[in-house]
Amino acid sequence: MILTMSRPFAIYIGLLGVATLVVIAWPPIALFGLFLGVVPGIFFWVAPSLFVYSLLWWSTRAAIQQTPIARRAQAGLLRFVVPAFSAAIIAVPAVLIPYLNNMRAEEVAQRLRDSDREPDEPIVLPETVALVMDGNYNWPKKKPFCETLCVRLLFNSSVARVIAVDPAYGSTAAFWIERREVCPDRPNLNFDVRWTTDFPLTRGDTPEDRVRARIAGGECLMEGDGHLEEATATISYRHVQKGTTIFQRPWSLQPGPPVVNRLEISNTSGATLYRRTEVILIDLTTPLQIATAAGLLTTVTYAGWARYNKTLGQIGPHGRDVLPYILRDAVKTPEKNPH
């Protein structure tokens, strides 16, 4: 029995094939399709996946119909059983492949987090603390900033001295507070990392506003030379593994190693008081789908297997999602006027 594609199905596959080629070659067309109406946008969005699964289904169905068992079966039975069986054959790998890949990725992530230590009680810090933060670097000064955590510890009087360290360049700087009539101009501080506990923000009363007001009132943030050896406790935020992003290896079923960040607090003897490892996985969607993406304000586009980021042990940039809960009042929003 020679199976030929029906005219309606051939037209259907032809239209999907053209749409698939267009949207993979130029992903923004799916976005512009939404501007023309919901239906064109959805059509371009689902076209690649629908084309692949439809063609696989038809090919599987055609192959089954050529088997001796199918040839001997009644025509009525073929009409219902073979299409359903063909769909099941296609559905099984479409579900199993992402499920098994994602499960293996989570097993790797769990091994990376096996050494984590998260005590229930808050951690009490000594007078001198080192902050080792990846990416905390003031390019003009060639030294680390007193960033958000540093500022909070000092202006809450939780510590007397902070040794800021940038591990990438090996540079250090010491920060402390002195009361003076006139403070040095342009203190080396930075509030780029916003903590979720600070929201909602009130105009004129942000953590940065409060700190700058206190500096203007004579609580001067001083900066000088410092050495890591001075500290009797260390808080570190490090990029353990760069990993891959969702835009890399778009057509590989194995997305590559995950992004791994780690927040640690240790004492002067090197004993770990706290450790949390953040693992950012790139999971495949279930079932397998082909995705395209583009934005209005960016030239970055994506065409490949549909994926999504999954974060285990979230700590946020510089540990902002964890530090408010493990250091408690030591890192609360500084008071407007503590006196």
Side-chain angles (χ1 to χ4, degrees):
M1 181 174 60
I2 299 176
L3 187 67
T4 58
M5 187 178 289
S6 66
R7 181 179 176 82
F9 192 80
I11 295 173
Y12 163 79
I13 284 293
L15 291 174
L16 282 179
V18 172
T20 298
L21 289 174
V22 172
V23 77
I24 289 179
W26 193 55
I29 195 172
L31 181 64
F32 286 109
L34 291 173
F35 296 146
L36 299 176
V38 176
V39 173
I42 292 177
F43 173 72
F44 281 114
W45 180 59
V46 302
S49 297
L50 202 56
F51 172 73
V52 170
Y53 282 118
S54 297
L55 197 57
L56 286 174
W57 172 81
W58 185 88
S59 301
T60 303
R61 172 174 165 270
I64 291 174
Q65 288 181 333
Q66 296 299 317
T67 62
I69 295 177
R71 289 180 178 181
R72 289 196 297 268
Q74 296 179 1
L77 185 64
L78 284 177
R79 184 177 301 174
F80 298 103
V81 174
V82 173
F85 187 56
S86 302
I89 290 175
I90 301 303
V92 168
V95 171
L96 280 183
I97 289 173
Y99 173 77
L100 294 175
N101 278 14
N102 297 345
M103 185 173 65
R104 283 194 294 268
E106 292 205 20
E107 289 173 353
V108 171
Q110 189 55 53
R111 287 196 293 270
L112 290 167
R113 303 183 66 232
D114 279 345
S115 62
D116 285 3
R117 170 182 167 80
E118 300 190 35
D120 294 330
E121 64 276 5
I123 296 171
V124 179
L125 297 174
E127 287 195 352
T128 303
V129 172
L131 302 183
V132 183
M133 300 287 182
D134 273 343
N136 177 37
Y137 192 70
N138 186 341
W139 279 101
K141 289 193 173 186
K142 305 299 182 184
K143 288 184 177 181
F145 287 105
C146 183
E147 44 71 62
T148 305
L149 175 58
C150 167
V151 170
R152 289 169 186 267
L153 291 173
L154 290 174
F155 281 89
N156 284 323
S157 300
S158 304
V159 303
R161 187 175 174 87
V162 169
I163 310 299
V165 181
D166 178 75
Y169 298 94
S171 57
T172 61
F175 296 94
W176 65 94
I177 292 176
E178 287 185 12
R179 180 159 289 280
R180 295 187 176 188
E181 292 295 327
V182 180
C183 294
D185 291 337
R186 297 184 180 180
N188 184 21
L189 51 75
N190 184 282
F191 281 88
D192 282 352
V193 177
R194 301 286 184 180
W195 286 20
T196 54
T197 50
D198 293 331
F199 292 93
L201 298 175
T202 303
R203 187 173 182 178
D205 190 31
T206 66
E208 183 175 1
D209 293 328
R210 292 187 179 191
V211 168
R212 292 194 181 277
R214 287 174 61 175
I215 291 174
E219 290 182 74
C220 303
L221 179 66
M222 307 302 297
E223 178 184 4
D225 294 332
H227 303 282
L228 184 60
E229 295 76 16
E230 298 176 44
T232 49
T234 301
I235 302 174
S236 67
Y237 171 85
R238 304 293 299 271
H239 304 306
V240 178
Q241 183 170 275
K242 183 178 180 181
T244 53
T245 70
I246 201 167
F247 294 101
Q248 295 173 291
R249 304 170 66 175
W251 292 106
S252 173
L253 293 174
Q254 302 293 336
V259 175
V260 182
N261 302 312
R262 182 168 286 151
L263 177 69
E264 287 184 303
I265 302 177
S266 57
N267 60 23
T268 187
S269 64
T272 300
L273 305 178
Y274 179 92
R275 176 186 290 147
R276 176 181 278 198
T277 304
E278 177 184 74
V279 184
I280 303 174
L281 304 172
I282 303 176
D283 281 352
L284 291 165
T285 59
T286 304
L288 277 175
Q289 300 172 46
I290 297 174
T292 59
L296 290 175
L297 302 178
T298 178
T299 58
V300 177
T301 60
Y302 178 85
W305 296 116
R307 306 178 188 277
Y308 62 95
N309 286 338
K310 181 177 182 179
T311 302
L312 303 180
Q314 181 168 315
I315 58 180
H318 286 192
R320 72 174 184 187
D321 298 338
V322 176
L323 288 169
Y325 308 102
I326 60 176
L327 297 179
R328 310 281 177 90
D329 288 345
V331 293
K332 65 183 180 180
T333 303
E335 299 290 341
K336 293 181 181 180
N337 186 353
H339 304 296

